[in-house]
Amino acid sequence: WTSKTRLADYTASHEVILVTPEGNNGWYTDSQLAPKEQYESYIVKELIPDVDRRFRTISDRQGRAIAGLSMGGYGAIKFGFKYPAMFSFAGSMSGAMNAASWTREELAGLPSIWKSLQEVFGEDGTQTRLSNDLSKRVRDMSSQEIAALPFIYLDCGTEDPLFPSNRSFAELLVSRRIPHEYRQRPGGHSWAYWDTQVQEVLTLALKKMQK
């Protein structure tokens, strides 16, 4: 983020604390097979409380937003769904929305991604897969759970391999009447696209945090 976008410049005129945590290949999830790879717990139970201790934050959902790209987009939306009391906004750019339900066949030719998914989520049907499947979570939500959600934002480039799954996920949100904004714009899975779109994400997140 700091070397491939102008994110620091875009936030310079705003009173905002920007945190960009390392996620490695952990899919922002507590790993099924690697006990030391607990990225969901790290973000929610360690990192956010540590930021609140170290900095002059507004330490409630109205003062906090979360967003990311690709794997991080999946993680941001997942955290918005699982921890709605922590965030007023959850945004995804080019998100890997089907991460927990991808099959080996769907990832043919991408062995490194499939390996990382298996290490984190385990085989098909594991509780880790089921509890982190975004589409399943949306389908299973009650009206009360929907009402408690942060504002959801999605975008994806029309030339991105993840475009079909992002569009399908947006249609699922519409079917459940979950408030959100979805944008599709020309572009691929690239830093040039994300550098442009992160400006839109910041604008929306700051508006939602001010309400």
Side-chain angles (χ1 to χ4, degrees):
W1 279 114
T2 55
S3 64
K4 296 183 178 180
T5 74
R6 295 178 57 203
L7 184 57
D9 294 338
Y10 302 147
T11 57
S13 61
H14 301 285
E15 293 184 346
V16 61
I17 298 166
L18 194 65
V19 182
T20 55
E22 175 59 70
N24 288 311
N25 289 321
W27 294 94
Y28 297 96
T29 298
D30 290 348
S31 173
Q32 172 86 5
L33 301 179
K36 294 183 178 180
E37 303 292 314
Q38 305 291 295
Y39 280 97
E40 182 172 325
S41 292
Y42 158 61
I43 299 290
V44 174
K45 298 179 181 179
E46 297 180 21
L47 178 64
I48 291 175
D50 187 58
V51 171
D52 285 336
R53 282 192 297 268
R54 290 171 180 265
F55 299 97
R56 192 177 61 181
T57 65
I58 299 172
S59 57
D60 59 32
R61 81 188 303 260
Q62 208 54 53
R64 191 182 297 120
I66 189 166
L69 66 87
S70 196
M71 179 177 69
Y74 159 78
I77 299 300
K78 184 184 78 164
F79 288 169
F81 285 160
K82 293 181 78 171
Y83 307 100
M86 295 186 73
F87 307 101
S88 59
F89 174 93
S92 167
M93 294 167 283
S94 314
M97 312 313 287
N98 293 343
S101 60
W102 269 332
T103 65
R104 184 189 297 271
E105 291 71 27
E106 289 174 314
L107 292 177
L110 299 168
S112 62
I113 295 178
W114 174 246
K115 183 178 184 231
S116 73
L117 288 170
Q118 278 196 303
E119 289 175 351
V120 172
F121 297 109
E123 299 294 334
D124 291 347
T126 64
Q127 184 56 42
T128 303
R129 278 191 180 268
L130 295 174
S131 63
N132 290 285
D133 184 328
L134 295 186
S135 294
K136 182 179 186 305
R137 183 168 287 273
V138 170
R139 290 192 295 268
D140 292 347
M141 277 184 175
S142 67
S143 56
Q144 290 82 5
E145 288 173 323
I146 290 173
L149 288 174
F151 187 81
I152 303 296
Y153 170 85
L154 312 168
D155 72 51
C156 195
T158 51
E159 287 71 55
D160 192 315
L162 296 176
F163 172 65
S165 58
N166 273 266
R167 187 164 184 170
S168 295
F169 189 74
E171 290 170 354
L172 179 59
L173 295 180
V174 170
S175 73
R176 293 304 319 274
R177 299 185 179 181
I178 293 177
H180 71 284
E181 183 165 335
Y182 169 65
R183 299 180 185 179
Q184 57 186 57
R185 301 174 60 88
H189 207 74
S190 70
W191 282 105
Y193 175 85
W194 300 320
D195 184 54
T196 298
Q197 289 308 112
V198 75
Q199 298 173 65
E200 303 296 325
V201 171
L202 285 167
T203 298
L204 281 171
L206 288 167
K207 285 181 179 178
K208 295 301 177 182
M209 287 192 288
Q210 289 171 359
K211 288 185 178 180

